[in-house]
Amino acid sequence: MQAEPIASWQIWGTLRAARMPLGLILIPDRVETRAQMTEYSDSAYVYRMFDLVFGIRSPGVFAYLTEKEKKALNDFSAAYAALPWQPLALHPHISELVDGDFSPVIPAAKRLDRLLALRTGRGPVSATYRLAHGWPLRVPIQPTERGLGQ
């Protein structure tokens, strides 16, 4: 199955958005101070955020990843799937960890987050990384209606 072409600003946005749920695992204090889904466990909140904004696994975006990024994503996805998830009784589309322990996925999450930070971040290190891979130096901007066809 061939992936549909995606604009560079959409790829960048998807890669950047993927860092948010990774941050929930890597920086647990972000979960503890959350205001949404307060009646559910932190792991259920993390599961839902991955479900909603982790579009990096879609074929259209996956096709644009480097081999190193694909390997990091596959390693993380395998570790994440191997966690002891248990569906919530009232919301079976959301799961939570039996023990609430994300430590088995932290090394893979760090590797993937680092690569995504290099690809989408700001600063000289990220800029050098993008130039070395032949990617745009600046963040792609979504075209406006006025800008189309000019």
Side-chain angles (χ1 to χ4, degrees), residues 1 3-4 6 14 54-65 73:
M1 177 165 98
E4 291 186 32
I6 299 177
T14 302
F54 204 66
I56 191 173
R57 294 180 284 206
S58 70
V61 175
F62 189 81
Y64 287 96
L65 299 178
L73 176 59

Side-chain angles (χ1 to χ4, degrees), residues 37-55:
M37 289 179 57
T38 55
E39 63 275 12
Y40 299 102
S41 70
D42 290 344
S43 64
Y45 180 75
V46 169
Y47 184 92
R48 188 66 175 144
M49 288 300 100
F50 269 97
D51 189 41
L52 292 174
V53 300
F54 204 66

Side-chain angles (χ1 to χ4, degrees), residues 84-132:
W85 294 107
Q86 169 182 313
L88 297 176
L90 293 175
H91 302 283
H93 61 285
I94 302 174
S95 293
E96 65 182 346
L97 290 176
V98 175
D99 56 5
D101 182 21
F102 282 105
S103 60
V105 298
I106 288 177
K110 282 182 180 178
R111 281 190 300 276
L112 180 58
D113 186 61
R114 172 88 173 124
L115 289 170
L116 295 177
L118 288 169
R119 180 97 178 240
T120 63
R122 295 187 170 105
V125 174
S126 295
T128 303
Y129 184 81
R130 284 194 297 275
L131 285 173

Side-chain angles (χ1 to χ4, degrees), residues 4 7 11 33-34 60 65 73-74 82 84 97 111 119 133 139 150:
E4 291 186 32
I11 294 166
T33 59
R34 66 187 162 87
L65 299 178
L73 176 59
N74 287 336
L97 290 176
R111 281 190 300 276
R119 180 97 178 240
H133 286 84
V139 175
Q150 289 183 349

